């Protein structure tokens, strides 16, 4: 009963947060502004929206193909079709519970390709670690290109002493965790070590595999597709089509963070996008409409591919 309650809580809290943000933003607009947002939706150039969706599709396909390098290194074969459908289903489940899709991917390759769950999940964790480093790189690049905007958006909102305190607490917590993990003989720590030991081979596959150059080249292609998707989508509205590369980089990074740390950015993505674009003289109704156009179009792709994969995966593997 307790586990069921926790499960439903983990589903509904992110959704309620997104709904709360949507309601808050909706109440901030006047009737005229809401009509203005509706007009942006009607008059958007959907040729660019469809093109952005297609680029997003290509990025998903590359991510599925890249996964095979780590699985091959571990000695397991998994077809591109299975990998692609597993990735699509993972993205779909992330719309409900954040990061639940990563678990579903490992479950799928275990069921259909006999990849042990811990090893398969380890490859996915390693993949996410690589993605985090790429996101950090783009965050650093955004800071370099648009330091004043970043300072106004973050540093001026959060007191420096609070940021310093958070950093110190984070470092102390990390060091404490490492020391406890390495030296503690407590039963719970030993149990935890046993559970994650099976992940090590999957985690280290990204380091030891023979095809590292191809893996990282395709990682660059994946992140390039994300940025290109965002860039192309800005052309859908005249007001956002004039954004500079610095503005695109900042808003892309903020949107990526919203997607990474919530249930695929539901509610948070359009809200944060509109707030960032305010610094570039893009009115909030425009920024909100643009955020919803790009988020909705990409989530429709996730929904269509995810549902198709759910239905077709058992048929494809019926033998």
């Amino acid at each position: 009963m307790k586990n069921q309650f926790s499960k439903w809580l983990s589903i509904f809290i992110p959704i309620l947060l997104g709904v709360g943000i949507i309601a808050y933003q909706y109440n901030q607009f006047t009737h005229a502004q809401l009509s203005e947002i509706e007009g942006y939706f009607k008059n958007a150039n959907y040729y660019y929206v469809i093109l952005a969706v297609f680029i997003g599709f290509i990025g998903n396909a590359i991510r599925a193909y890249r996964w095979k390098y780590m699985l091959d290194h571990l000695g397991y074969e998994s077809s591109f079709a299975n990998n692609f459908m597993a990735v699509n289903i993972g993205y779909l489940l992330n719309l409900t519970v954040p990061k639940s899709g990563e678990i579903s991917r490992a479950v799928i390759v275990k069921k259909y390709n006999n990849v042990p769950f811990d090893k398969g999940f380890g490859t996915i964790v390693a993949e996410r670690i690589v993605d985090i480093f790429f996101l950090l790189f783009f965050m650093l690049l955004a800071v370099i290109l648009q330091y004043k905007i970043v300072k106004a958006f973050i540093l001026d909102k959060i007191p420096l002493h609070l940021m310093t305190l958070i950093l110190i607490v984070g470092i102390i917590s990390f060091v404490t965790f490492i020391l406890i993990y390495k030296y503690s003989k407590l039963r719970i720590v030993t149990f935890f070590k046993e559970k994650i030991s099976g992940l090590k081979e999957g985690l280290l596959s990204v380091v030891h595999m023979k095809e590292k150059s191809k893996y990282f080249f395709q990682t660059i292609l994946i992140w390039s597709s994300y940025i290109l998707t965002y860039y192309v989508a800005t052309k859908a509205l005249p007001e956002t089509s004039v954004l500079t590369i610095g503005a695109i980089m900042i808003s892309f990074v903020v949107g990526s963070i919203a997607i990474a740390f919530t249930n695929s950015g539901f509610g948070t993505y359009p809200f944060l996008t509109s707030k960032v674009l305010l610094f570039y003289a893009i009115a909030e109704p425009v920024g909100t409409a643009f955020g919803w156009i790009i988020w909705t179009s990409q989530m429709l792709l996730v929904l269509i591919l995810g549902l198709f994969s759910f239905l077709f995966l058992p048929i494809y593997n019926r033998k």
Side-chain angles (χ1 to χ4, degrees), residues 66-83:
R66 182 188 66 168
W67 193 12
K68 85 179 186 68
Y69 292 122
M70 287 192 285
L71 294 175
D72 286 348
H73 171 75
L74 297 177
Y76 300 99
E77 290 187 9
S78 183
S79 67
F80 169 74
N82 275 354
N83 290 354

Side-chain angles (χ1 to χ4, degrees), residues 150-167:
V150 173
K151 184 176 182 296
F153 189 69
I154 299 176
L155 299 182
D156 290 350
K157 305 292 183 183
I158 305 174
L160 182 60
H161 68 273
L162 180 58
M163 292 188 67
T164 305
L165 179 62
I166 293 172
L167 180 62

